[in-house]
Amino acid sequence: MAEFEPKIVAFLCRWCAYAGADLAGTSRLKYPPNVVPIRVPCSGRVEPAWVVDALRQGADGVLIGGCHPGDCHYVSGNYKARRRVYLLKKILPELGIEPDRVRLEWVSASEGKRFAEVVADFVAELRALGPIGAGSDASRVTRDEESTALRGG
Amino acid sequence: MSPKSGDAIRPSSRHGPRIGVFVCHCGHNIAGTVDVEKVAEALARYPGVVYSTHYDYMCSDPGQELVKRAIKEHRLTGVVVAACSPSMHEPTFRTAGEEAGLNPYLVEIANIREHCSWVHEAGPATTDKAIRITRAAVEKVRGNHPLEPLQIGHAEKCLVIGGGIAGIQAALDVAEAGYEVLLVEKSPTIGGHMAQLSETFPTLDCSQCILTPKMVEAARHPRIRLLTYSEVEEVSGFLGNYHVRIRKKPTYVDPEKCNLCGDCEEVCPVRVPNEFDRGLSERGAIYIPFPQAVPSSYTLDEEACLGLEPLRCSECARVCEVGAIDYDMQEEIIEEDVGAIIVATGFELYPKEEMAEYGAGRIPDVIDGLEFERILSASGPTGGEVRRPSDGKVPKEVVFIQCSGSRDPELHKPYCSKICCMYTAKHALLYRHLVPDGRAYVFYIDIRAGGKGYEEFVARAMEEDRILYLRGKVAKVFREGDKVVVWGVDTLTGKRVEVKADLVVLAQAIVPSPGVTELAQRLHMSCLDEHGFLKEAHPKLRPLETLAGGVFIAGAAQAPKDIPDAVAQASGAAAKAIALLSAPALVHPPEVAIVDEELCSGCGICAPQCPYSAITVEEVAEVNEVLCEGCGACAAACPSGAMSLRNLTDEQVLAMVRAALKEAAEVTSG
Ligand SMILES: Cc1cc2nc3c(=O)[nH]c(=O)nc-3n(C[C@H](O)[C@H](O)[C@H](O)COP(=O)(O)OP(=O)(O)OC[C@H]3O[C@@H](n4cnc5c(N)ncnc54)[C@H](O)[C@@H]3O)c2cc1C
Ligand code: SF4
Ligand code: SF4
Ligand code: FES
């Protein structure tokens, strides 16, 4: 049987992690092709609801890439992201999703190597976790309940 | 070259979106790992795509022509170029789109080189990823709206707050560029702390000699309106369009008439400590801070005066031969519209009374650095002779204590005040020049002399002027007879040191000017750093700006600074202000936050999320588009889904996510 290939959606801050991924490319570093990046202005733009939606739509993991603490182009977006991800990870088990499927990583524009490593590591971790929703039924929770739980800061 | 085979042209979607996809080979850079033909084919079958092709080098002239021709021929409503990173050619293809009549914001890049072909091996998985990336870009374009950059007008004046060297320099630069400047200074004269200094490191030129010509130039400049004895009371508006209210206190002396004879001060029966000399001399209730003050006029200090209402003394008016004194002078309120604001409110010394461990405040011969500047100054209270405050004796043993109140997180300020190492070396050196048989000791933690000619200056003080530098902390300072005894430890030798000194000079920490907190609130720049200094918009990349658009910072108000740094920063802030004032209109990217008023509940959760105070919430939230930088923090926080970012809405992102995740088989053209 072919090895399980996890699918990852990555929300990458345009100022840091997106540019870090560019640098991984310019440096011709190799990492597994399991990740599809989506460019966002800042990690603080990422809504927990997007993350949950991605996981429901078939993603096995979601990566959020932001600027290192103190480096956010908009001063504090990365701290906002950190708080939201922290809260989201507390809620995920109730939706039947392992919190480890969501990763927030700080990757600067000069850290191409780090970006490649983060992806490789995440892919390995998700391979070990296997496909999503093995045990519980994630679709039990209604969208309304979900948005009450996920929105608001 | 004409398009390759594999072009797919579909006539459908007469009313829906008509998106064109252009897959670049980038020579072998993409085509070597990604099956570009397959990508173009897959996208041709994707809903909304009416044209899909691939080509050797899309960014080349023929490549761009191909895009332009397709836009026209196929009446494309959106374009996706699957190629290198948007940081490379997004502007190229947006311009090409525009040239073909397509709004540039309807052109998006799918990054299949840096994010795909360059980082993966050739094979189906890599091609599959390229398809997913491109599909997501199609979804982005589908949701995009044509946008125009925002344009707003602005006032053409500049307000400078604080008339120290930084404020003076900034005002002169802006005025020289042709703009009107209001220079607001709270004290009766401009000049700031530099006016109090004796000579300046590292060149030892006389501070007043290099400062006063600038003060006069500022006062005489046809485009600078000097408002001394004034404070900014209210600021409203936003970037480029601030309305300011300034209150100018009455000086009761007409500067046009005052000829500086000084008769008034002589007859004034009042004597109060003279702030300019840090209390080492006295002045009358009517006074001039120092002879070269600008504006050159006496000022009547209402609080010190025996009484104006009712008039209790009026001696000064009686002797003023030119009739310059006017007890009925009223305060003035000045209202102006300004486009830019430069804040240069400078610093103060951390009060020496805080240093109980050094006996400061109790022992008259323990003084701070600015007091010593006045003692050294030729025009100071001792006429340039080094004499100590208690009994006027020439001190023969002087101890200088560095880092007094700095770098002491437990008791005082945790930060380094940056300039004290240098001015202490200067103090000790000038002292040795004035009192050749005197001995100077400097207690220090370490020497920070990072500046042009600075290290050499300190070396000169140590070697040529034989100043004894003792590395270590002072444990105790106490009085014994007419001596001030200093106990310390030389950590280099491990020995205890005792100096029976005649005078102790504390290099006090630099702190922000008092009142700057309220001023910052009035300017809607909620951002002061944890020590109360003005905070820059970005510590590395935007050091002259604040988070309040159009408000810039200069000088020691931002952090402890010496004169060269303060002046350099002032010119930088002036350049920023000039750039703003000289723009025909302020152009701002249009990808900003928007509110759906139907959905907004007015809860107000979004407003505090915004680092730029761009959101106001009354009935519903409203975004000031000019202030919005498009970070999206508000949109992510809004519990009602009412707040969104233009061209990056929730719907767009969710569609992109789906497009990225769907298996090829699930995609059917529609
Ligand atoms: C003891 C000592 C020795 C020094 N020696 C040297 C030296 O030899 N060489 C050197 O390069 N540097 C030296 N410096 C540093 C130098 O004094 C500063 O770099 C310089 O004064 C900074 O200028 P500034 O304009 O930023 O601030 P300031 O000189 O503090 O001027 C700020 C001005 O703003 C005004 N102001 C404050 N708040 C308001 C308000 N709310 N509204 C209106 N006006 C306001 C103040 O009244 C003041 O006039 C020394 C400093 C000290 C303490
Ligand atoms: S997008 Fe960012 S900058 Fe714009 S209003 Fe929202 S929080 Fe403020
Ligand atoms: S958070 Fe959303 S609902 Fe609340 S005021 Fe802001 S836009 Fe309106
Ligand atoms: S700009 Fe990168 S995380 Fe905010």
Side-chain angles (χ1 to χ4, degrees), chain B residues 5 44 133 171 240 271 306 444 453 507 525 550 563 598 626 629:
Chain B
S5 62
I133 291 176
R271 282 294 169 257
L306 291 179
Y444 70 102
M525 25 187 299
I563 297 163
E598 300 282 299
V626 178
E629 297 267 330

Side-chain angles (χ1 to χ4, degrees), chain B residues 592-593 606 609-612 614-615 623 627-635 645:
Chain B
V592 293
C606 51
Q609 295 284 322
C610 179
Y612 310 97
I615 304 171
V623 177
L627 296 184
C628 172
E629 297 267 330
C631 72
C634 55
L645 267 196

Side-chain angles (χ1 to χ4, degrees), chain B residues 3 19 97 122 205 269 303 308 327 339 344 370 480 501 582 622 627:
Chain B
I19 295 167
D205 30 13
E303 272 170 35
L308 289 174
Y327 296 125
L370 279 173
E480 203 178 274
S582 61
E622 193 183 331
L627 296 184

Side-chain angles (χ1 to χ4, degrees), chain B residues 320-341:
Chain B
C320 180
E321 287 186 355
V322 293
I325 296 165
D326 169 11
Y327 296 125
D328 296 324
M329 194 184 269
Q330 296 296 314
E331 70 173 17
E332 248 183 280
I333 301 288
I334 294 118
E335 302 211 28
E336 291 273 7
D337 289 319
V338 299
I341 300 176

Side-chain angles (χ1 to χ4, degrees), chain A residues 13-16 41-44 65-67 71-74 77-78:
Chain A
C13 159
R14 65 180 301 167
W15 302 100
C16 49
C42 170
S43 62
C67 308
D71 287 352
C72 173
H73 190 79
Y74 308 100
N78 49 0

Side-chain angles (χ1 to χ4, degrees), chain B residues 600-606 617 621 638-640 642-643:
Chain B
C600 174
S601 68
C603 70
I605 285 173
C606 51
V617 185
C638 172
S640 315
M643 189 65 89

